[in-house]
Amino acid sequence: MHFTRRALCVWLTVFALGYAIFGGGVGWAASKPKVAPVTPLPQETGFLNRTVQVAGVSYKFQVYLREDFHRWEPGDKSERPPIILFLHGRGERGSEGMWQTQIGLAQQLRDHPERWPFIVVMPQCPIRHFWTDPEMLQMAMAALDQESKEFHADPDRTYLTGLSLGGYGAWELARDYPHKWAAVALIATGIFWSYAPERWHEISTLPAEYARRVGRTPIWLFHGTDDTTVVPRQSEVMFEALKAEQGHVRLWDYQGLHHDCWTRAFNEQELPRWLLAHKLSQVAQLPPLADRTIIPLHPVALKLPVSLLDTYVGEYRDQSNVLVATIQRQGEQLFLKNAQGDVMEIQAESVTTFFYPTGSLTRLTFEHDSTGRVMAIQYRDDRHEELWEKRK
């Protein structure tokens, strides 16, 4: 009995020490460090490198996500993000996967990201190919499908656009996948490929075939009236064919523009709004539409009195006191000499606002004080504005 009591005391002592050391008998597990929860990395945005495999061949391309992109996940109450497939022109072909981000829609994604709340998929056509090659069309669709899956894009808001050579391919995709696209924008292009002139022999049947396949899918065509690379007749023919088939089509003719009318077209603020206004599920309910508009190169110029023009003559400096413009009058015309010494005519849109008669969107507005004296020029282009003060 004495031995048993002594053993019991020893056991209780050891138990107490263990409790004190290991925290209530939790054991050695209590001494293990706690693992902090893993925080997911933020989603990369901007122009992102991607690769797609088609028939054993690897193709590099780009996908664009705007800065505030939120990855949609199942259960989110918000809409899935819209997505655009953009096909570039002949000059951007290659295999590095990046050259197609220089012009067209990609340029506007840099200049005005706030206008384009889309995922944009930009595949690249290799130099020895054309977008109308079957394997190139397959590659473009594979890239779109891959990124639609990766970022959970909205199948009801999937759009297609292409310029020049890329427009040739976009017409093929519009025809081959008529139930894929909520809307399609085609710029300086057509269905008669420059490298297959024999297709013009089918002008009596081919446009109608495309129009029937496209159906009521909304189509917006843009073309420069002075385009000698892809002649304006290409868009005119398709406009008439879609109109005859009760399609839903718009055509904007840019007066005085040559082949590059895509800079102007993608800069139209209405274009991204027009795309978003259409959903694939609503295409069948759209009414027939055939709307053609001529877009003038510049506004009609006003003729202002020489006495008023003389008030604008002088030197204008920016906020760093750098001479940026000298306004001169010659007869009934005003000219602007810039900091590089280039002299350009400016014409009046109103009594205070002037424009360059080149099709530029830049505007120069002369500002006055309360007495009517000219104080400055408010310079506005498509991206920013500056104030140039009159010093002489």
Side-chain angles (χ1 to χ4, degrees), residues 40-220:
L41 294 174
Q43 173 65 55
E44 286 188 292
T45 58
F47 292 87
L48 306 179
N49 296 322
R50 288 294 185 271
T51 302
V52 66
Q53 293 272 344
V54 178
V57 180
S58 180
Y59 299 94
K60 297 178 180 178
F61 69 99
Q62 296 281 310
V63 61
Y64 168 84
L65 304 177
R66 62 184 290 174
E67 186 177 7
D68 61 354
F69 176 80
H70 167 72
R71 180 188 288 270
W72 186 92
E73 298 292 348
D76 283 359
K77 295 182 179 179
S78 60
E79 286 187 299
R80 293 190 182 196
I83 191 167
I84 298 175
L85 175 62
F86 166 65
L87 302 186
H88 62 76
R90 187 186 189 106
E92 293 73 57
R93 291 181 299 172
S95 57
E96 82 296 326
M98 297 182 67
W99 195 247
Q100 71 276 26
T101 66
Q102 305 300 311
I103 68 168
L105 176 54
Q107 178 183 341
Q108 284 303 308
L109 297 177
R110 290 187 170 92
D111 289 351
H112 293 290
E114 74 283 356
R115 296 179 186 173
W116 296 90
F118 303 82
I119 302 167
V120 183
V121 180
M122 293 166 279
Q124 186 180 35
C125 181
I127 289 178
R128 291 187 296 275
H129 287 276
F130 300 109
W131 277 122
T132 52
D133 296 346
E135 61 268 38
M136 294 298 99
L137 297 174
Q138 184 183 3
M139 179 267 287
M141 291 302 292
L144 174 64
D145 292 343
Q146 176 178 298
E147 299 313 301
S148 294
K149 182 178 180 181
E150 178 180 0
F151 297 112
H152 303 285
D154 189 348
D156 205 29
R157 296 190 295 166
T158 298
Y159 306 98
L160 172 66
T161 186
L163 62 87
S164 192
L165 176 70
Y168 291 162
W171 265 120
E172 298 307 296
L173 294 178
R175 182 193 66 174
D176 294 345
Y177 301 89
H179 305 298
K180 179 76 173 179
W181 319 108
V184 180
L186 299 157
I187 304 168
T189 193
I191 65 169
F192 299 100
W193 315 330
S194 57
Y195 43 85
E198 67 277 3
R199 285 173 66 88
W200 280 103
H201 298 317
E202 302 177 68
I203 190 171
S204 62
T205 59
L206 208 55
E209 176 193 328
Y210 278 75
R212 284 192 293 270
R213 293 289 298 275
V214 168
R216 201 58 62 79
T217 301
I219 305 288
W220 194 348

Side-chain angles (χ1 to χ4, degrees), residues 86 88-92 102-108 116 161-166 186-189 222-224 227 229-230 254 257-268 271:
F86 166 65
H88 62 76
R90 187 186 189 106
E92 293 73 57
Q102 305 300 311
I103 68 168
L105 176 54
Q107 178 183 341
Q108 284 303 308
W116 296 90
T161 186
L163 62 87
S164 192
L165 176 70
L186 299 157
I187 304 168
T189 193
F222 300 85
H223 223 115
D227 189 346
T229 303
V230 179
Y254 285 118
L257 291 189
H258 296 267
H259 190 46
D260 178 8
C261 70
W262 50 80
T263 300
R264 180 75 177 267
F266 282 118
N267 193 41
E268 298 288 354
L271 178 54

Side-chain angles (χ1 to χ4, degrees), residues 337-350:
K337 180 180 178 181
N338 63 21
Q340 291 73 41
D342 302 319
V343 178
M344 298 158 284
E345 183 184 3
I346 57 174
Q347 295 183 354
E349 184 175 7
S350 69

